[in-house]
Amino acid sequence: MDLHFTAEENAFRDTARTFLDTHLPPELQRKVRQHLRLAKDDYVRWHKIVAKQGWAAPAWPVEYGGTGWTSVQRHIWEDECARAGAPPILPFGVNMVAPVIMAFANAEQKAWYLPRILNCDDWWCQGYSEPGAGSDLASLKTTAERDGDDYIVNGQKTWTTLGQHADMIFCLVRTDSTVRKQEGISFLLIDMKTPGITVRPIIMLDEEHEVNEVFFDNVRVPVSNLVGQENKGWTYAKYLLGHERTGIAAVGRSKRELTFLKQLAMQQVKRGQPLLRDPAFTAKVAQLEIELMALEMTVLRVISEEGKGPGPQASMLKVRGSEIQQQLTELMVEALGPQALPFDTAFLDGATEHSSFGDDLAAPLAAYYFNYRKTSIYGGSNEIQKNIITQMILGL
Ligand SMILES: Cc1cc2nc3c(=O)[nH]c(=O)nc-3n(C[C@H](O)[C@H](O)[C@H](O)COP(=O)(O)OP(=O)(O)OC[C@H]3O[C@@H](n4cnc5c(N)ncnc54)[C@H](O)[C@@H]3O)c2cc1C
């Protein structure tokens, strides 16, 4: 296994970097690099710029608008996007529902949804989790009962990320309660404007409206919005979760955040010298950097096996990636000490140009720290990933 990049791959990196240098709007870059909040328009704007270049869905087959890049090229592109401070392309459409549509939907559904996902004409959200059905997802209770050419959907989803902006939700619903719980689930695509849907915000520790509860009260959904076969939704759901965990290591973003942490620690003065020269603090930063380099090598090792999906190794990447992301935020807060305490919501939301607390780099970091507690929970909690590693990799 050769973990070095080839000359062609380095040339590809130059191409990606040139594109980002010339097309990434500085105001979006500033928001990402300074940990400010992105609005819906920010995500959509960047998605459409990348879509115009034909690079919005690199992993898709070329026939649907993918790039034909190798997995190493895709990794380089993600790495460069993170380095530049580009907003993420949200996964719900491109990386989650689209692969399911490609694999299991009918021709009409593919022709309608895939181009719209590629161009970000619809904002998608994920309707899997329910109160009482998270790690044990197959226990979900939202029902869909057949009534002529429609299903009538009743129930509740929760933790629905950015569902307040969504045009569409892909939902797991129970269509048969008489069989084993995994066998009575179907995969429905639901228009969020349908009467009977209520979206209620969940405000998180960082005071951000990032997740929601979504209620379904006699919501009429055409049977033509069913993906694949009725009661086969669990198979499609698992297929999707495999895609969800790909890329979850977020190595590129952590490398950018490590650079930021060092910059921050250079500016903080402790006993007459920059904090980054303090041996105790530097040792922590160095340890984290070593772990991040090791994770990057693991990611390269996984993707060097072209053609094979990440399989259970994705669970390792998720656990280590999320732990490193959280440790970075912890060291940022530690570097700042009491300066990390303020919450400046107006500045975070872009309503003011500068923080009223004086330090624009420091002001968003308490919220950032709190926000990142989520990474060890979403996408399947780290405890669940460790169960998968134990069974599938260690064979215990
Ligand atoms: C910020 C955020 C965004 C999210 N976005 C979405 C979204 O857009 N759409 C969506 O459908 N869902 C979303 N989720 C939900 C997420 O997938 C679930 O929170 C996650 O699967 C855990 O489920 P739960 O919250 O019900 O916790 P539970 O399953 O109740 O788990 C509680 C605790 O018990 C542990 N635990 C549970 N079972 C086991 C076990 N067998 N062995 C060991 N430990 C166990 C868990 O690790 C956890 O620590 C989001 C969650 C968060 C925090």
Side-chain angles (χ1 to χ4, degrees):
M1 181 195 335
D2 182 2
L3 294 181
H4 292 96
F5 293 113
T6 62
E8 292 78 36
E9 284 161 355
N10 284 327
F12 175 80
R13 187 182 289 279
D14 291 341
T15 307
R17 200 169 277 198
T18 304
F19 173 79
L20 288 156
D21 286 346
T22 48
H23 288 78
L24 176 58
E27 54 278 22
L28 297 188
Q29 183 180 51
R30 175 179 160 268
K31 278 189 174 183
V32 172
R33 286 190 170 167
Q34 284 198 21
H35 311 100
L36 302 176
R37 290 173 182 163
L38 292 164
K40 177 180 183 178
D41 288 350
D42 297 330
Y43 288 107
V44 174
R45 182 177 171 199
W46 178 238
H47 188 131
K48 285 192 180 286
I49 291 172
V50 181
K52 199 168 166 205
Q53 181 73 8
W55 294 354
W60 287 17
V62 173
E63 59 177 304
Y64 294 122
T67 54
W69 293 343
T70 63
S71 51
V72 175
Q73 286 175 311
R74 297 202 301 267
H75 170 80
I76 292 172
W77 167 242
E78 280 164 26
D79 202 48
E80 285 302 314
C81 285
R83 187 198 60 84
I89 300 290
L90 289 174
F92 307 106
V94 170
N95 292 338
M96 291 185 173
V97 74
V100 172
I101 291 175
M102 284 175 209
F104 304 107
N106 60 36
E108 207 177 319
Q109 290 168 328
K110 287 181 195 173
W112 173 253
Y113 290 115
L114 293 176
R116 299 180 64 81
I117 292 172
L118 195 60
N119 198 39
C120 200
D121 293 333
D122 295 322
W123 181 290
W124 282 84
C125 64
Q126 179 188 22
Y128 271 27
S129 305
E130 298 181 3
S135 304
D136 181 16
L137 187 58
S139 296
L140 62 95
K141 291 193 168 55
T142 297
T143 55
E145 283 176 28
R146 190 75 188 256
D147 180 33
D149 289 339
D150 293 331
Y151 287 106
I152 310 291
V153 178
N154 279 290
Q156 182 196 343
K157 297 292 172 181
T158 192
W159 307 121
T160 318
T161 299
L162 299 175
Q164 72 270 32
H165 304 314
D167 303 296
M168 295 293 299
I169 183 168
F170 55 90
C171 263
L172 293 180
V173 292
R174 187 156 300 286
T175 33
D176 189 346
S177 312
T178 62
V179 290
R180 205 169 66 94
K181 59 184 179 182
Q182 286 83 357
E183 287 164 11
I185 293 172
S186 298
F187 196 103
L188 272 188
L189 311 177
I190 304 180
D191 185 333
M192 289 291 281
K193 287 186 290 298
T194 319
I197 297 182
T198 309
V199 179
R200 202 161 72 186
I202 302 173
I203 304 299
M204 298 218 294
L205 279 172
D206 62 347
E207 295 180 11
E208 186 167 3
H209 178 188
E210 184 176 315
V211 284
N212 301 273
E213 297 174 292
V214 180
F215 297 88
F216 298 85
D217 184 12
N218 289 320
V219 175
R220 211 164 253 283
V221 181
V223 171
S224 56
N225 284 24
L226 175 75
V227 173
Q229 294 175 39
E230 195 175 85
N231 296 328
K232 290 278 182 268
W234 188 245
T235 307
Y236 314 150
K238 284 193 296 183
Y239 181 81
L240 183 148
L241 287 176
H243 285 265
E244 183 179 7
R245 281 191 280 274
T246 315
I248 210 157
V251 169
R253 190 171 58 202
S254 288
K255 287 198 293 187
R256 183 185 74 227
E257 294 304 326
L258 182 69
T259 306
F260 179 87
L261 169 66
K262 290 180 182 173
Q263 182 191 351
L264 203 65
M266 267 317 271
Q267 289 172 7
Q268 303 303 308
V269 177
K270 188 179 173 192
R271 291 191 212 98
Q273 64 172 354
L275 180 62
L276 200 58
R277 302 275 175 264
D278 175 80
F281 191 79
T282 308
K284 290 182 196 174
V285 177
Q287 181 62 38
L288 196 53
E289 184 158 7
I290 291 165
E291 285 168 20
L292 182 55
M293 285 171 72
L295 180 65
E296 185 170 26
M297 289 303 123
T298 310
V299 169
L300 289 172
R301 190 160 56 82
V302 170
I303 63 174
S304 71
E305 293 171 17
E306 182 77 51
K308 285 191 194 167
Q313 290 155 320
S315 297
M316 284 166 32
L317 302 181
K318 200 264 163 166
V319 172
R320 284 310 287 135
S322 56
E323 285 171 352
I324 289 173
Q325 289 166 54
Q326 291 185 339
Q327 285 163 11
L328 280 162
T329 66
E330 285 155 22
L331 284 181
M332 286 174 199
V333 169
E334 186 177 330
L336 287 171
Q339 287 179 69
L341 291 175
F343 253 80
D344 189 345
T345 315
F347 178 57
L348 278 171
D349 287 333
T352 58
E353 203 182 330
H354 294 291
S355 164
S356 54
F357 294 99
D359 185 338
D360 289 352
L361 285 188
L365 292 182
Y368 180 49
Y369 166 85
F370 282 123
N371 187 278
Y372 266 61
R373 301 310 95 197
K374 69 188 176 187
T375 62
S376 46
I377 304 171
Y378 65 24
S381 75
N382 282 12
E383 290 78 15
I384 295 297
Q385 304 308 324
K386 286 176 185 171
N387 286 350
I388 295 172
I389 293 167
T390 310
Q391 287 159 14
M392 310 280 288
I393 299 180
L394 303 177
L396 297 172

